[in-house]
């Protein structure tokens, strides 16, 4: 069997829902696209699909702005994330899980008057239904 056939079977396996969401190694999907080019719309939609399934990225896009020299209290940012999850029908994460995801995404934290995230400013939109 040729390599292209093996890659196509691998892609089919990824689509059979046997893997949990988030377990897909997107770098492999790009390699497969190199071997078997798909229409440009399919290739550009991969990051879009990831963004739609990434609550942290969506929250940061909606409620946080980069700000040189600014910091935001970790507990304040986490509470805003929890409220955002409730309003948007997303599952809430533990504070520890949220902090790990922030670190994994490359955000820096410092211990100064508690734990603070560096270079971020919280910009909360008005969210109906939040108390």
């Amino acid at each position: 069997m040729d390599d292209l056939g093996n890659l196509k079977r691998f892609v089919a396996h990824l689509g059979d829902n046997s893997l949990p969401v988030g377990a897909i190694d997107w770098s492999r999907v790009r390699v497969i696209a190199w071997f078997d080019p798909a229409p440009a719309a399919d290739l550009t939609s991969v990051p879009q699909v990831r963004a739609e399934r990434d609550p942290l990225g969506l929250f940061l896009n909606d409620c946080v702005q980069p700000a040189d020299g600014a910091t935001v209290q970790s507990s304040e940012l986490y509470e805003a994330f929890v409220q955002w999850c409730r309003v948007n029908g997303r599952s809430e994460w533990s504070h520890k899980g949220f902090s790990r995801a922030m670190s994994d995404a490359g955000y820096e934290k410092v211990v100064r008057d508690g734990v603070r995230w560096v270079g971020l400013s919280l910009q909360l939109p008005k969210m109906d239904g939040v108390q």
Side-chain angles (χ1 to χ4, degrees):
M1 179 62 53
D2 65 347
D3 288 338
L4 185 57
N6 288 335
L7 288 171
K8 286 182 178 180
R9 278 198 307 286
F10 177 72
V11 170
H13 173 72
L14 290 178
D16 72 5
N17 295 325
S18 64
L19 297 172
V21 172
I24 296 172
D25 182 351
W26 290 104
S27 64
R28 291 182 182 183
V29 173
R30 288 188 196 102
V31 168
I32 292 164
W34 179 78
F35 281 105
D36 189 16
D42 291 345
L43 295 177
T44 59
S45 67
V46 171
Q48 176 75 22
V49 170
R50 286 183 80 186
E52 290 171 0
R53 294 185 179 172
D54 175 23
L56 179 62
L58 293 170
F59 162 72
L60 293 172
N61 187 56
D62 288 350
C63 302
V64 177
Q65 295 293 318
D68 289 338
T71 63
V72 63
Q73 185 75 32
S74 179
S75 58
E76 183 181 353
L77 189 62
Y78 173 70
E79 184 56 36
F81 175 72
V82 168
Q83 293 300 325
W84 179 90
C85 287
R86 290 176 183 162
V87 167
N88 289 285
R90 300 287 181 147
S91 297
E92 298 173 26
W93 298 352
S94 68
H95 195 157
K96 184 176 180 179
F98 174 78
S99 293
R100 183 177 301 125
M102 288 286 292
S103 293
D104 289 349
Y107 293 97
E108 177 188 356
K109 63 182 170 182
V110 295
V111 178
R112 180 179 43 199
D113 296 326
V115 177
R116 303 183 74 79
W117 292 101
V118 177
L120 300 176
S121 174
L122 191 56
Q123 305 291 320
L124 294 177
K126 181 167 175 43
M127 295 186 277
D128 295 331
V130 177
Q131 299 184 25

